[in-house]
Each structure stands twice: as structure tokens, then as C-alpha cells.
Amino acid sequence: MERIAVIGDAAIAVIAAEGMRGLTHRAVDRTAGLPAGSTSYYARTRLALLELAADRMVALDEAEVAPPPGKLAEFLGAVVHRSITVGRTRMLARYEFALESVRRPELRARYDAGGVELRRRCAEVLAAAGSSTPEAHTRTVIGWMDGSIFDALAGSGSLNPPREKELVEGARAVLSGLGLAAA
């Protein structure tokens, strides 16, 4: 794996485990198993390190595959389930970034760039599924996904996280409510 990706993954892990205050170049070096000073070679400042981590999260998000035809509810349920299981670390780091970008405008544009791309792709998928108002429907679908993920990771739903089957049924209900075939 490329060194930048290793550093980005380690920064995400540090943020998820220790919050933004725990993010230091040394902590990332330690988590990545790199010699001291490696992270600062690639990201000289804390802001550069935050940007590197944000870029890595966007790259990982973009690696998500498109839904198979006729399987939109299954795809959405699976994405949410992966986010609360194997993608838990990335999602916790994303919540930290969201809050930090509210307080630090210099991070806002980078944080929003990933969300804009995700929403664009979602609107394309919903348009292909028959949505007459894909941008409005995207807001609803993303809201359901974000809410489900947050509740399962940081809300009271974390006491009993949903199974994938429950999430697929939730996606079906949302899509049906929008007048879209959920298959």
C-alpha cells in the first residue's frame, strides 16, 4: 500500500479512537508502525495531516461499488451495515471531522467535497431508479442513511445495532415512501 494511504488510514484510526485532540504526527507514526517523523514528511502541519485524512476518507468512499440493477434497497442496507461494522472506524472519524469542520472553516470545503460527490452519485442512482426529483430524494435517502449510521454507532441504537436485514427493510420503506421501486 502506498505510504500516503497508510498514513491516511492511521490518521483515521487515531481520530476515531482518540478524537481530534489525539491526532498528532507521532500518534499517526505509532499507529501506522512507521519511523518517527514519517508522517511529518508527508504532512508538515496539523492542517495538512487533517486534509490528508479527509482525502483518504473520500478515496475510500469512492471505492464503494454502484448498486446492481434492481437491488437498490439491498445495496443501501448493505452500505449502512458495512458502515456500522467493518467501516465503523471511518464513520467515527467522519463524525469527528464533521464537528471539527463546523469550528474550522478551513476544513469545511474539504469535508463538503466528499459529501457533494456522494450526493451527486446518489442522485444519479435514484434518477436511474425512476426518481422524478433525484436531488430531493437524495436528501431523504442520505438523511436516512446518516441517521441510521449515527444511531447505531453513537446513539442509543448502539446498544442493539440493526442487522443488515433490518436495514434493507428500512431502505425499502424509505424508497417506497418516495414512490421508488426498492426491488
Side-chain angles (χ1 to χ4, degrees):
M1 185 185 288
E2 185 182 325
R3 178 74 51 111
I4 294 283
V6 169
I7 291 169
D9 290 345
I12 291 166
V14 169
I15 292 166
E18 301 178 33
M20 286 295 185
R21 288 189 175 177
L23 182 69
T24 65
H25 289 78
R26 285 186 182 138
V28 173
D29 286 340
R30 191 171 42 254
T31 300
L34 297 172
S38 297
T39 296
S40 63
Y41 177 80
Y42 292 95
R44 294 255 181 239
T45 65
R46 189 165 194 284
L47 177 60
L49 181 55
L50 287 166
E51 291 171 343
L52 188 150
D55 290 346
R56 179 64 177 157
M57 282 195 292
V58 169
L60 292 169
D61 288 345
E62 289 175 353
E64 294 283 338
V65 295
K71 301 286 186 185
L72 186 53
E74 287 82 355
F75 174 76
L76 294 173
V79 167
V80 173
H81 191 258
R82 276 194 312 274
S83 295
I84 66 174
T85 56
V86 297
R88 181 179 196 278
T89 298
R90 185 172 14 143
M91 292 310 301
L92 290 172
R94 177 170 284 111
Y95 294 137
E96 292 283 343
F97 262 99
L99 293 173
E100 188 72 9
S101 69
V102 169
R103 295 182 287 271
R104 295 188 57 187
E106 66 272 21
L107 292 178
R108 188 83 238 177
R110 196 162 237 119
Y111 177 79
D112 287 344
V116 166
E117 177 60 19
L118 176 68
R119 288 171 186 275
R120 184 193 65 74
R121 292 170 91 182
C122 184
E124 287 176 358
V125 168
L126 293 175
S131 172
S132 59
T133 56
E135 288 77 18
H137 287 164
T138 291
R139 183 180 296 275
T140 300
V141 170
I142 297 286
W144 171 78
M145 294 175 76
D146 280 347
S148 296
I149 294 166
F150 185 86
D151 184 57
L153 293 180
S156 59
S158 66
L159 299 172
N160 184 20
R163 297 182 321 258
E164 187 169 343
K165 181 180 177 184
E166 294 173 85
L167 294 165
V168 169
E169 289 305 315
R172 275 199 181 96
V174 168
L175 293 170
S176 176
L178 296 174
L180 299 172

